[in-house]
Amino acid sequence: AFFTLPSPTKPDEEITVAGAGYVTDADGPQLKSGPPNLGEHTDDILTSIGYDMLRIKALRDAGTI
């Protein structure tokens, strides 16, 4: 199944995304939001594995992330 959602980058447009590749008879996965923007969760992911904000800033300044 495909779903139409508001575009995360263009407020006046929509995007079409694919739902789960399977269906269950009871409580299969539900689409709750569209895909994240590129890099949207980078800080959260890096801090969760031990990077501090100073190191993340250094990686960003170096163009690594």
Side-chain angles (χ1 to χ4, degrees):
F2 292 93
F3 300 91
T4 301
L5 301 170
S7 170
T9 58
K10 298 178 182 176
D12 297 333
E13 294 185 20
E14 294 180 329
I15 60 171
T16 301
V17 297
Y22 61 92
V23 178
T24 64
D25 62 354
D27 60 348
Q30 296 179 358
L31 185 65
K32 296 180 181 177
S33 65
N37 289 317
L38 181 63
E40 182 176 347
H41 301 294
T42 300
D43 290 357
D44 292 336
I45 293 168
L46 291 175
T47 56
S48 76
I49 60 172
Y51 286 81
D52 61 31
M53 292 309 292
L54 186 62
R55 181 68 178 136
I56 294 171
K57 182 181 181 323
L59 291 170
R60 191 167 278 117
D61 290 346
T64 305
I65 58 171

